Amino acid sequence: MRPYFTIGLVVVIAAILAFVAYPAFAQDAAPVIAPSSIWFDLWSIVQPVVVLLVSTVGPVLVTWISARLISWLKVSDDAKKAEVEARLREALHQSAMNALKYALAKSGGGPAVIGSTLISEAVRYVEDKNPEALDKLKVSGDGLREIIMSKIPDLPDKTASTG
C-alpha cells in the first residue's frame, strides 16, 4: 500500500508545482490582461523575476522534496535489508544441511559416525559454495562449524558422535 501513497504524494507535489509555475510557462502572444491596465505593466516588470525564481528555485525545491521522500522511505529499505538477511541466513542453514549430507555421502553414505573430519569437510563445502553469504552475514569458521553441528540432529538415521 505504501508505494501507491508515495506515487500519489509525488503526483500531488508535481501538480502543485505545475500550478505555481504556470504563469512562467504561459507566455502567450496575446496578453491575458488588457494592455491599458496597470496590472499589465506590473506583470511586464515582475514576469522576468518570476521566471528567474521558478527556474532557479524550482529544481532546488524538487531536489529537496526528493531528498525528504528518500529519507522518509528508508524504513522500506531497512525492511528489505532485514528480509534479504533473513533469506541469506535461511540459505546458509540449508547449505549447512546440504554440506553435512555431502560429507556423509563422500564418506560412504550409510549410517556413519560423524567426526571432526566430516564436519571439516562440511565447513569446506559451505565455504566453497557460499562465500558471499558468509561474508555478508559475517560468519566466522567457528560460527559455521557450530551451525553445521546444530544440523546433526536433523539428519535421519545417522548416529552422531563428535570427536
Side-chain angles (χ1 to χ4, degrees), residues 78-160:
D78 292 340
K80 273 287 192 210
K81 287 179 185 176
E83 180 183 340
V84 167
E85 193 170 303
R87 286 185 181 178
L88 276 173
R89 261 192 233 102
E90 181 181 324
L92 183 62
H93 282 266
Q94 184 64 38
S95 180
M97 181 61 101
N98 290 342
L100 266 177
K101 290 177 183 176
Y102 168 78
L104 285 173
K106 192 172 180 181
S107 71
V113 175
I114 298 176
S116 61
T117 55
L118 270 119
I119 292 181
S120 296
E121 182 68 29
V123 167
R124 222 177 350 239
Y125 177 87
V126 174
E127 287 173 343
D128 289 344
K129 300 297 180 188
N130 293 321
E132 297 90 15
L134 292 172
D135 289 340
K136 286 189 179 185
L137 293 173
K138 296 179 177 119
V139 177
S140 65
D142 292 334
L144 180 58
R145 184 175 293 276
E146 289 174 6
I147 290 172
I148 290 174
M149 289 178 68
S150 74
K151 299 301 174 190
I152 292 173
D154 295 339
L155 292 172
D157 300 325
K158 305 290 184 222
T159 59

Side-chain angles (χ1 to χ4, degrees), residues 10-83:
V10 169
V11 168
V12 168
I13 290 171
I16 290 171
L17 286 175
F19 179 75
V20 170
Y22 175 75
F25 297 112
Q27 299 174 7
D28 293 335
V32 178
I33 303 171
S36 62
S37 171
I38 189 157
W39 298 112
F40 179 77
D41 294 333
L42 186 63
W43 179 246
S44 298
I45 295 169
V46 174
Q47 184 180 12
V49 175
V50 170
V51 170
L52 179 66
L53 284 176
V54 168
S55 64
T56 55
V57 174
V60 172
L61 184 64
V62 169
T63 304
W64 181 79
I65 290 171
S66 300
R68 295 291 173 215
L69 281 174
I70 289 170
S71 68
W72 182 62
L73 294 175
K74 284 269 189 204
V75 174
S76 170
D77 291 344
D78 292 340
K80 273 287 192 210
K81 287 179 185 176
E83 180 183 340

